[in-house]
Amino acid sequence: MANGDDAVTLGKFDGLVKLLKKVPGFAKAVAGKYDDFKKWYNGLSPWVRGPLAVAGVGSDLYGIWQFFH
């Protein structure tokens, strides 16, 4: 955070992370490998994945996963 990069990243994903934390299984999925995280996301019901896609989650899954690692 000394150079401000982490603060910019946090601001970029803040709303998405807040939304994802409400989805069951997110914490466990994001803690694992990226492939497992992607499988978890793709396995979500359309009723859950739809609003997440509108929020832009699906377009930057790797960035979100990487944020937590």
Side-chain angles (χ1 to χ4, degrees):
M1 284 204 165
N3 64 6
D5 290 344
D6 291 338
V8 171
T9 303
L10 180 59
K12 178 181 177 184
F13 292 120
D14 191 36
L16 298 176
V17 170
K18 194 179 288 187
L19 183 63
L20 279 167
K21 284 183 177 181
K22 294 179 181 183
V23 180
F26 170 72
K28 183 178 178 183
V30 79
K33 297 182 294 186
Y34 172 70
D35 287 339
D36 295 336
F37 179 64
K38 188 174 176 183
K39 286 178 190 174
W40 167 81
Y41 179 79
N42 290 334
L44 293 173
S45 77
W47 298 107
V48 175
R49 210 171 53 242
L52 293 175
V54 168
V57 171
S59 65
D60 203 1
L61 280 180
Y62 185 75
I64 292 168
W65 175 82
Q66 193 175 33
F67 177 75
F68 286 93
H69 289 265

